[in-house]
């Protein structure tokens, strides 16, 4: 459902048992603690967000070229290298000052399509990059395929049987809905092929690029799965309140749709097949441990499933046929360390598989597996700027909330330290998202490592309403924002660490982005005696203005928000939303607060941070405010991102006592000064 993507998180061998920490509540004098922490080298801020870090490696269809993301002049750009070349031979094939959000190879191996917006406003435009000449270092010709920066375009597919066209989703003709269009790559003509009055948030195309299956997001937090049968859209499945259904693949030849759903009496999302003609539903796989939802499914070229994955505290992958099982066993024998292996791509024509192998202390590298021989070769290996042994292990733990519900979380501790520590509670965004184990799987995972290096314990709980743990766990968050179980799960996590002697209750902080930013503000206002420092990064201060400020094209998909947060048009909901809005309880705040905001944020608008900063200033409460005028929902440009992290480090160091890097680049401190807001002038 698209509602889950409004506050993304941002991102999916062996099962590791949850670690239940035990031990008596010991204390350790601060001088001794600081002496031991000082023995660990202080790692520069810039190293945690290394300009050389590579992500989203993708191979051209002919296998000749590798493309990936890396920063160029402070923004995410696409780099290109010949297959088999050394990483240092890669070069930027784009040189955009605006970070590129996503890219994909065309079926024509000399073309790439990519998306970027302006200043973080999320009105993404689609571009075509054509490689000129088949040289060692080809140049690129870049053409804008869309150019209406007032609306949003998303690339859905390049149809197999009509590769000279693209299928897009956009709100260009109706600001309040995302319709489906066909774009001719030859003429540039854009033609609407589907008026999305059904409110489809998920849609699947046939080989010709025509929509054939869609999932509607209904205002009452239900969904319908529609199929186009005999030229007419027909509802084949209607969910109950709070149930979820996602289209994973479509086998056109056999008229089978593969979906994951928790419909009927299912709690966890299971892998199901749906016969489009008869409507028959068959369960193909569900979690053998009954721990988590289906996380990911790998399909062959015909759309049939090969393997299914689940993610509790760690990733588990199950083969669905003997051939895949044989290859998967070979791959796992090759990688003997404590890692997670994901399959990025399987080329059935060449028999080459692309693997990504990562851990909690390594951003990961890419490998090529040859199915015919069982060989595993390095495709692109990253040499980390921070030695993995200098980073902290990321433990999956479980603690019990006050009502007995088990909460899975990740705990990162300073090297060789586990008692009486300054501690940061770090809730994820979404809230319909979750945290994962690997270092590269979340924006805040490197920040958790930085904080651990500075001497903090960091707890990242998958609190109620987090995805991946079943519909009952997810829906337990409904109307529990701020003062209910979602916030209690964070509070109980803090008390758990205190009870174990890990956290120093006098040095507790909370920080989060998006929903996590709201949770930080809720911590400051609704549990004011718990935290001594609070950072809200693009966090809403009012649930009412949050719902009322969503862009028009979000509105057809807000049924889940109305169920979870409330509908401001309903009087009783509005009263409840006021009671859960931190802006109305500023007088409760005792801890210093830092606000971080992007001026172009279409989801959590600048008014959310401005309003609470004004009130705190009038009340003479300690507040700092960082505002980037060229960012949206989170900072993506390197200078802004690093400036925020420096400010965070200094803020927590001042109020909680962790280490602070005194050798920050002067230009970075100077840039930070340009982002600081004089709250007295708001």
């Amino acid at each position: 459902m698209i509602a889950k993507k409004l506050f993304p998180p941002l991102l999916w061998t062996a099962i590791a048992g949850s670690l239940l920490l035990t031990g008596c509540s010991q204390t350790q004098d601060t001088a001794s603690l600081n002496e031991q922490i000082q023995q660990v080298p202080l790692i520069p801020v810039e190293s945690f967000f290394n300009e050389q870090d590579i992500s989203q490696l993708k191979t051209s269809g002919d296998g000749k070229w590798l493309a990936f993301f890396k920063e160029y002049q402070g923004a995410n750009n696409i780099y290109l290298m010949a297959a088999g070349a050394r990483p240092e031979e890669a070069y930027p094939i784009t040189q955009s000052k605006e970070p590129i959000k996503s890219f994909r190879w065309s079926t024509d191996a000399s073309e790439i399509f990519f998306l970027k917006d302006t200043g973080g406003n999320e009105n993404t435009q689609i571009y075509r990059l054509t490689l000129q000449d088949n040289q060692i270092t080809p140049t690129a010709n870049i053409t804008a395929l869309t150019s209406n920066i007032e609306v949003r375009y998303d690339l859905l597919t390049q149809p197999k049987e009509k590769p000279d066209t693209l299928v897009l989703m956009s709100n260009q003709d109706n600001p309040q809905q995302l319709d489906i269009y066909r774009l001719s790559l030859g003429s540039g003509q854009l033609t609407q092929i589907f008026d999305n009055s059904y409110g489809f948030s998920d849609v699947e195309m046939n080989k010709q690029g025509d929509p054939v299956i869609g999932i509607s997001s209904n205002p009452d937090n239900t969904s319908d799965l529609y199929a186009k049968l005999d030229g007419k859209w027909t509802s084949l499945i209607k969910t109950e309140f709070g149930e979820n259904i996602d289209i994973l693949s479509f086998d056109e030849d056999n008229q089978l749709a593969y979906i994951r759903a928790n419909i009927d009496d299912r709690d966890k999302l299971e892998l199901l097949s749906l016969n489009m003609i008869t409507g028959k539903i068959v369960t193909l796989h569900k979690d053998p441990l009954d721990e988590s939802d289906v996380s990911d499914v790998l399909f062959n070229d015909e759309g049939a499933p090969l393997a299914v994955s689940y993610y509790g505290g760690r990733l588990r992958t199950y083969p669905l046929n003997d051939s895949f099982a044989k290859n998967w066993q070979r791959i796992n024998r090759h990688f003997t360390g404590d890692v997670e292996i994901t399959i990025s791509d399987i080329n059935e024509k060449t028999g080459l598989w692309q693997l990504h192998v990562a851990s909690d202390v390594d951003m990961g590298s890419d490998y090529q597996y040859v199915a015919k021989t069982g060989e595993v070769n390095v495709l692109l290996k990253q040499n980390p700027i921070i030695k993995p042994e200098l980073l902290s292990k990321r433990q999956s733990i479980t603690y019990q909330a006050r009502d007995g519900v088990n909460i899975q979380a990740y705990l990162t501790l300073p090297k060789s330290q586990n008692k009486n520590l300054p501690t940061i509670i770090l809730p994820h965004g979404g809230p319909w998202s979750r945290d994962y184990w690997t270092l590269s799987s979340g924006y805040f995972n490197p920040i958790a490592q930085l904080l651990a290096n500075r001497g903090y314990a960091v707890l990242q709980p998958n609190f109620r309403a987090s995805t991946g743990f079943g519909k009952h766990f997810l829906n337990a968050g409904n109307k529990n924002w701020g003062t209910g179980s979602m916030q209690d799960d964070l509070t109980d996590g803090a008390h758990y660490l205190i009870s174990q002697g890990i956290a120093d209750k006098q040095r507790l902080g909370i920080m989060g982005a998006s929903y996590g930013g709201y949770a930080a503000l809720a911590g400051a206002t609704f549990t004011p005696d718990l935290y001594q420092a609070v950072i809200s990064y693009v966090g809403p201060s009012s649930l009412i203005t949050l719902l009322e400020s969503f862009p028009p094209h979000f509105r057809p998909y807000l049924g889940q928000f109305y169920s979870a947060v409330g509908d401001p048009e309903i009087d009783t909901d509005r009263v409840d939303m006021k009671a859960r809005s931190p802006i109305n309880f500023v007088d409760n705040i005792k801890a210093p607060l830092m606000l971080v905001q992007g001026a172009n944020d279409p989801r959590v608008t600048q008014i959310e941070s401005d309003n609470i900063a004004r009130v705190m200033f009038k009340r003479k409460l300690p507040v700092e405010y960082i505002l980037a005028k060229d960012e949206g929902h989170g900072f993506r440009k390197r200078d802004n991102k690093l400036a925020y992290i420096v400010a965070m480090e200094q803020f927590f160091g001042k109020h909680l006592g962790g280490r602070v890097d005194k050798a920050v680049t002067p230009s970075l401190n100077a840039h930070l000064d340009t982002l600081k807001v004089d709250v007295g002038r708001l």
Side-chain angles (χ1 to χ4, degrees):
M1 295 175 64
I2 204 168
K4 296 176 188 175
K5 301 173 185 175
L6 297 181
F7 294 126
L10 293 335
L11 353 137
W12 309 5
T13 60
I15 178 65
S18 295
L19 174 65
L20 294 171
L21 300 181
T22 59
C24 57
S25 179
Q26 292 179 251
T27 58
Q28 184 175 10
D29 69 87
T30 304
S32 172
L33 174 65
N34 288 338
E35 182 180 342
Q36 292 185 46
I37 292 175
Q38 294 298 334
Q39 295 173 7
V40 179
L42 192 145
I43 302 170
V45 166
E46 290 90 342
S47 298
F48 289 93
F49 288 90
N50 179 18
E51 287 180 291
Q52 302 306 311
D53 282 342
I54 291 168
S55 63
Q56 297 188 35
L57 178 74
K58 297 175 185 177
T59 307
S60 60
D62 59 7
K64 293 181 179 179
W65 299 104
L66 304 179
F68 52 82
F69 275 143
K70 193 170 78 164
E71 285 186 3
Y72 178 76
Q73 295 183 349
N76 236 19
N77 272 278
I78 302 170
Y79 276 66
L80 188 73
M81 61 182 279
R86 299 186 305 274
E88 55 268 26
E89 296 178 66
Y91 63 98
I93 199 73
T94 64
Q95 299 180 13
S96 174
K97 293 182 180 179
E98 294 286 353
I100 294 175
K101 300 192 77 171
S102 64
F103 76 91
R104 62 185 291 172
W105 282 97
S106 168
T107 54
D108 179 343
S110 65
E111 290 183 342
I112 291 173
F113 303 112
F114 66 88
L115 279 72
K116 66 175 180 175
D117 65 9
T118 303
N121 66 2
E122 299 190 11
N123 286 334
T124 46
Q125 305 298 308
I126 301 174
Y127 298 82
R128 179 188 197 177
L129 184 157
T130 305
L131 300 179
Q132 302 294 307
D133 300 325
N134 192 18
Q135 304 171 22
I136 296 176
T137 55
T139 57
N141 180 40
I142 296 175
T143 306
L145 298 178
T146 63
S147 56
N148 186 346
I149 62 173
E150 299 302 318
V151 301
R152 174 177 180 147
Y153 297 91
D154 290 307
L155 175 55
L156 297 182
T157 190
Q158 183 180 21
K160 287 183 179 180
E161 295 185 1
K162 291 186 177 180
D164 58 341
T165 67
L166 299 179
V167 180
L168 317 180
M169 188 172 259
S170 176
N171 62 328
Q172 75 163 25
D173 292 330
N174 184 344
Q176 297 190 6
Q177 68 184 39
L178 294 165
D179 299 318
I180 299 176
Y181 299 81
R182 190 185 304 278
L183 174 69
S184 168
L185 291 173
S187 67
Q189 183 176 355
L190 194 62
T191 306
Q192 186 183 120
I193 60 173
F194 181 68
D195 180 330
N196 193 11
S197 56
Y198 288 89
F200 288 166
S201 58
D202 189 6
V203 64
E204 186 74 17
M205 311 295 165
N206 62 17
K207 295 175 183 177
Q208 293 76 39
D210 299 313
V212 290
I213 317 171
I215 305 286
S216 69
S217 296
N218 303 327
D220 61 353
N221 199 15
T222 65
S223 298
D224 282 83
L225 184 148
Y226 287 89
K228 195 170 186 180
L229 303 175
D230 299 324
K232 179 182 178 182
W233 287 97
T234 304
S235 176
L236 298 183
I237 301 174
K238 184 173 182 63
T239 72
E240 298 294 327
F241 175 89
E243 293 181 339
N244 289 285
I245 185 169
D246 299 304
I247 305 167
L248 299 176
S249 179
F250 176 51
D251 181 346
E252 186 172 356
D253 293 338
N254 295 303
Q255 287 296 292
L256 285 175
Y258 294 96
I259 62 177
R260 60 176 178 178
N262 51 24
I263 55 177
D264 302 326
D265 59 349
R266 300 171 178 87
D267 177 52
K268 310 295 192 299
L269 291 171
E270 299 177 6
L271 174 61
L272 312 175
S273 66
L274 168 66
N275 187 302
M276 302 276 288
I277 306 302
T278 66
K280 183 179 179 181
I281 297 172
V282 176
T283 299
L284 301 180
H285 207 275
K286 59 183 180 180
D287 188 359
L289 303 183
D290 194 30
E291 180 187 42
S292 60
D293 296 330
V294 166
S295 175
D296 200 9
V297 182
L298 185 69
F299 292 90
N300 65 16
D301 287 348
E302 300 306 314
L306 299 174
V308 58
S309 297
Y310 300 88
Y311 213 117
R314 293 288 300 272
L315 180 67
R316 291 174 283 122
T317 299
Y318 296 88
L320 297 180
N321 63 45
D322 292 341
S323 175
F324 184 93
K326 178 183 176 182
N327 289 308
W328 187 239
Q329 189 176 40
R330 285 174 170 177
I331 291 167
N332 278 273
R333 278 202 302 262
H334 183 85
F335 298 100
T336 58
D338 187 14
V339 296
E340 288 184 355
I341 306 167
T342 54
I343 299 171
S344 308
D345 182 61
I346 294 180
N347 188 320
E348 294 184 2
K349 293 179 181 177
T350 63
L352 301 178
W353 298 24
Q354 184 179 322
L355 313 175
H356 185 73
V357 182
S359 77
D360 55 339
V361 294
D362 187 339
M363 295 294 283
S365 295
D366 295 274
Y367 297 83
Q368 187 179 78
Y369 169 72
V370 185
K372 185 176 181 179
T373 64
E375 294 177 273
V376 177
N377 304 309
V378 174
L379 198 59
L380 196 155
K381 188 170 181 61
Q382 297 197 63
N383 295 315
I385 193 169
I386 305 174
K387 294 180 180 179
E389 58 267 25
L390 295 179
L391 296 177
S392 299
K393 296 302 294 179
R394 183 172 167 81
Q395 307 169 44
S396 174
I397 70 165
T398 301
Y399 63 88
Q400 202 170 76
R402 64 191 65 184
D403 59 358
V405 173
N406 287 328
I407 305 299
Q408 187 274 333
Y410 295 100
L411 177 64
T412 308
L413 298 174
K415 299 286 285 184
S416 304
Q417 297 296 316
N418 61 9
K419 295 296 178 183
N420 199 36
L421 299 168
T423 298
I424 307 298
I425 307 300
L426 186 54
H428 62 71
W432 303 297
S433 181
R434 60 156 297 166
D435 282 313
Y436 298 90
W437 177 71
T438 55
L439 181 60
S440 58
S441 62
Y443 173 83
F444 279 102
N445 293 359
I447 292 178
Q449 289 285 355
L450 183 149
L451 289 168
N453 180 256
R454 283 8 180 203
Y456 300 93
V458 182
L459 184 71
Q460 295 172 268
N462 281 316
F463 48 85
R464 263 166 280 202
S466 299
T467 54
F469 301 93
K471 67 185 178 188
H472 291 109
F473 190 84
L474 185 144
N475 290 312
N478 290 346
K479 302 295 175 66
N480 273 272
W481 289 43
T483 59
S485 61
M486 292 172 70
Q487 196 71 24
D488 290 344
D489 291 345
L490 305 179
T491 302
D492 294 344
H495 285 306
Y496 173 75
L497 294 186
I498 293 169
S499 72
Q500 300 302 303
I502 295 169
D504 178 354
K505 66 179 180 180
Q506 301 301 324
R507 294 188 292 165
L508 269 176
I510 184 170
M511 173 178 69
S514 196
Y515 173 82
Y518 165 82
L521 293 176
T525 51
F526 300 130
T527 55
D529 295 317
L530 185 61
Y531 300 109
Q532 287 77 50
V534 177
I535 297 180
S536 174
Y537 183 176
V538 295
S541 58
S542 166
L543 297 181
I544 292 173
T545 55
L546 170 70
L547 267 290
E548 290 178 339
S549 65
F550 277 140
H553 62 276
F554 280 21
R555 297 197 179 280
Y557 313 109
L558 292 181
Q560 190 170 13
F561 269 95
Y562 294 142
S563 299
V565 185
D567 184 345
E569 299 300 315
I570 299 174
D571 290 342
T572 53
D573 279 7
R574 194 175 186 91
V575 170
D576 183 59
M577 293 167 78
K578 284 183 178 179
R580 298 179 190 276
S581 295
I583 189 67
N584 299 320
F585 300 91
V586 172
D587 286 342
N588 292 348
I589 295 177
K590 297 180 180 179
L593 173 65
M594 174 180 284
L595 301 164
V596 185
Q597 181 70 47
N600 302 320
D601 193 337
R603 306 173 186 228
V604 178
T605 60
Q606 184 179 334
I607 192 175
E608 299 295 338
S609 293
D610 282 1
N611 282 349
I612 199 165
R614 286 192 191 99
V615 177
M616 290 191 69
F617 178 77
K618 289 178 182 178
R619 303 287 200 278
K620 297 183 179 179
L621 296 171
V623 59
E624 299 179 29
Y625 189 0
I626 295 172
L627 176 69
K629 295 183 179 180
D630 56 348
E631 296 280 12
H633 197 61
F635 294 179
R636 294 188 292 138
K637 295 179 180 177
R638 182 174 180 79
D639 55 354
N640 296 330
K641 183 164 54 180
L642 291 180
Y644 154 66
I645 295 169
V646 167
M648 171 206 74
E649 179 189 25
Q650 294 172 352
F651 181 81
F652 282 145
K654 177 181 178 181
H655 300 293
L656 301 179
R659 295 196 296 173
V660 176
D661 187 356
K662 304 295 186 183
V664 175
T665 307
S667 60
L668 191 52
N669 272 325
H671 182 67
L672 173 58
D673 287 339
T674 69
L675 304 182
K676 292 179 178 178
V677 176
D678 181 353
V679 294
R681 304 184 63 167
L682 286 173

